[in-house]
Amino acid sequence: MLLSLVLHTYSMRYVLPAAVMMGTAPTFVLAWGAWRLLSAVLPARFYREVDDRLYTIYQSMVLFFFENYTGVQVIIYGDLPKNKEHVIYLSNHQCTVDWIVADMLAIRQNALGHVRYVLKDGLKWLPLYGWYFSQHGGVYVKRSAKFNEKEMREKLRAQMKADTPMYLVIFPEGTRYNPEIPKVIADSQSFAEKEGLAILKHVLTPRVKATHVAIDTMKDYLDAVYDVTVAYEGTVDHKGQRKVAPSMTEFLCKECPRVHIFIDRIELKDIPEEQMYMRRWLHERFEIKDKLLIEFYDAKDSKRRNKFPGKSVHSKLSLKKTLPSLLFLGGLTASMLLTESGRKLYVKTWIYGTLIGCLWVSIKP
């Protein structure tokens, strides 16, 4: 009975945050949908400004749970500018929390509403979220030979035409680095060896297509590229072997005490334009990431482990930036669920919003 109580208490750590984040999704989609209809006759710029504000509200609520609720320490290294910029954000990829880490940095620049993702195509079928991410400026891409360069360029050009603030998040590895799936790591290393590239230990060989299309299409629009390396403390076992990075559920259960984020701001003039040369440049950037992660996980001196080299800042997110959004969305959702008509609208939003979203993403890129 005691064990069952402990397990129940443990599970409640993530049940409440998950219930609130998913439970407020229909409320958010209704608010966004109403604005989408009202702004149909207005210039695209007006729609984008309000959409970015709505997205900021929702993602601020998400960050309340992932930062304030969990109490995780966010440790930042390198050069994160204080001001907003048009940027491409390139990061290593190891778990779904990597999406949230991009938000963690963006909110510290007051650019949370500007975050847009390059996502694998299958995620567009997520109920409500998949459709909305596309509407917010996200780009869904297929891998390898199925990658549609023309569609991605067209979508990015449309964003620039509407003067959309850009904080475009790309994970060039194309899939997650997972120590429990050694075949993926081995295949990645074999490919690098075959192509005459350095073999990487703690990251996968990056793919250049999406990165090249994004930089090439927006080179006159961007201010910089952020090269971001993320490490989650507590992901090494007692034998010194790397473990799987925390899932969102594990993170919400407070299993990660600290997130370490290294940022290198790169000027566009320092990035080769031709895809062949950019591919080499991108791999070199991932070599730098790999060295940082080798130092973080494998340094012989134990005092140098679990941190990146250089100065760091323990960055705590103020409740003023997250709690109002939680109270606002939570209050709206609760008031809707208190009435019979509100409950019906809530359920219909889940059902019809999902169906309309799936239909939309099936016919539009």
Side-chain angles (χ1 to χ4, degrees):
M1 185 174 179
L2 181 60
L3 178 60
S4 171
L5 179 63
V6 170
L7 290 174
H8 176 71
T9 304
Y10 177 85
S11 67
M12 286 303 294
R13 287 182 176 181
Y14 72 86
V15 169
L16 176 62
V20 173
M21 287 186 284
M22 294 189 67
T24 54
T27 311
F28 173 78
V29 169
L30 278 172
W32 166 75
W35 170 242
R36 193 77 172 101
L37 291 173
L38 288 171
S39 64
V41 295
L42 299 175
R45 179 171 57 85
F46 291 102
Y47 162 71
R48 286 296 177 201
E49 286 179 0
V50 176
D51 174 54
D52 283 358
R53 290 183 183 276
L54 289 172
Y55 187 75
T56 298
I57 292 171
Y58 186 82
Q59 291 303 114
S60 295
M61 178 198 68
V62 170
L63 285 174
F64 168 82
F65 290 110
F66 277 89
E67 285 207 53
N68 303 116
Y69 171 79
T70 63
V72 67
Q73 292 183 36
V74 177
I75 304 172
I76 299 175
Y77 307 74
D79 46 3
L80 179 68
K82 294 181 180 179
N83 300 322
K84 303 175 186 178
E85 296 185 288
H86 293 303
V87 300
I88 289 175
Y89 170 113
L90 303 176
S91 175
N92 58 314
H93 191 26
Q94 47 204 312
C95 61
T96 50
V97 182
D98 295 335
W99 294 9
I100 307 299
V101 171
D103 289 343
M104 290 176 177
L105 293 182
I107 197 171
R108 286 163 169 82
Q109 295 178 274
N110 293 314
L112 184 55
H114 305 169
V115 174
R116 311 172 210 284
Y117 297 95
V118 174
L119 300 161
K120 62 183 179 182
D121 192 64
L123 292 173
K124 68 185 181 184
W125 304 110
L126 284 171
L128 300 185
Y129 295 98
W131 179 30
Y132 176 72
F133 281 146
S134 175
Q135 293 293 297
H136 184 64
V139 182
Y140 290 107
V141 296
K142 295 179 180 178
R143 296 174 184 171
S144 304
K146 294 182 179 179
F147 177 80
N148 192 322
E149 179 178 326
K150 182 181 177 183
E151 281 185 3
M152 185 173 179
R153 286 188 185 275
E154 287 176 353
K155 185 141 194 178
L156 293 175
R157 285 173 183 144
Q159 302 296 325
M160 291 188 291
K161 187 176 180 181
D163 292 325
T164 304
M166 189 57 64
Y167 203 104
L168 187 65
V169 178
I170 302 176
F171 300 110
E173 290 159 287
T175 192
R176 301 174 206 164
Y177 178 99
N178 186 341
E180 292 185 355
I181 310 178
K183 185 179 184 307
V184 172
I185 298 171
D187 288 347
S188 174
Q189 292 174 340
S190 296
F191 176 79
E193 185 176 20
K194 179 183 175 183
E195 296 295 313
L197 301 169
I199 295 173
L200 308 172
K201 180 180 180 182
H202 286 292
V203 290
L204 302 177
T205 303
R207 304 162 188 253
V208 74
K209 286 183 180 179
T211 303
H212 176 259
V213 170
I215 293 176
D216 186 60
T217 304
M218 299 191 294
K219 58 190 174 187
D220 297 323
Y221 192 74
L222 297 170
D223 295 307
V225 168
Y226 293 172
D227 183 9
V228 180
T229 306
V230 180
Y232 300 94
E233 200 164 320
T235 50
V236 174
D237 64 21
H238 66 283
K239 295 180 180 179
Q241 297 298 310
R242 188 170 168 187
K243 299 190 296 183
V244 179
S247 65
M248 286 189 176
T249 298
E250 291 166 338
F251 199 93
L252 289 170
C253 286
K254 307 182 182 183
E255 292 191 11
C256 178
R258 283 171 286 276
V259 179
H260 298 256
I261 311 168
F262 192 102
I263 305 105
D264 193 357
R265 184 184 183 278
I266 302 170
E267 297 282 349
L268 270 294
K269 63 181 177 61
D270 296 326
I271 302 174
E273 292 188 11
E274 293 292 330
Q275 181 171 320
M276 178 177 66
Y277 296 114
M278 189 181 291
R279 180 192 184 202
R280 175 70 63 176
W281 169 85
L282 184 61
H283 195 86
E284 288 171 354
R285 294 309 309 179
F286 269 72
E287 286 182 57
I288 294 171
K289 291 180 184 299
D290 203 43
K291 289 175 182 176
L292 286 170
L293 292 169
I294 287 171
E295 182 79 3
F296 187 92
Y297 292 115
D298 306 329
K300 292 181 180 179
D301 184 352
S302 60
K303 293 180 181 179
R304 289 166 53 192
R305 287 185 216 135
N306 291 319
K307 61 182 180 181
F308 290 130
K311 293 182 179 179
S312 63
V313 176
H314 290 243
S315 180
K316 188 173 182 179
L317 184 61
S318 170
L319 277 170
K320 293 179 182 179
K321 289 196 171 185
T322 59
L323 186 58
S325 296
L326 171 65
L327 297 175
F328 177 71
L329 280 174
L332 277 180
T333 304
S335 62
M336 184 187 301
L337 295 175
L338 286 173
T339 65
E340 185 178 352
S341 58
R343 289 191 292 272
K344 287 181 179 178
L345 179 60
Y346 182 87
V347 173
K348 286 179 179 179
T349 302
W350 264 117
I351 296 172
Y352 294 117
T354 298
L355 292 175
I356 293 170
C358 288
L359 179 63
W360 184 273
V361 297
S362 68
I363 61 177
K364 290 199 63 133

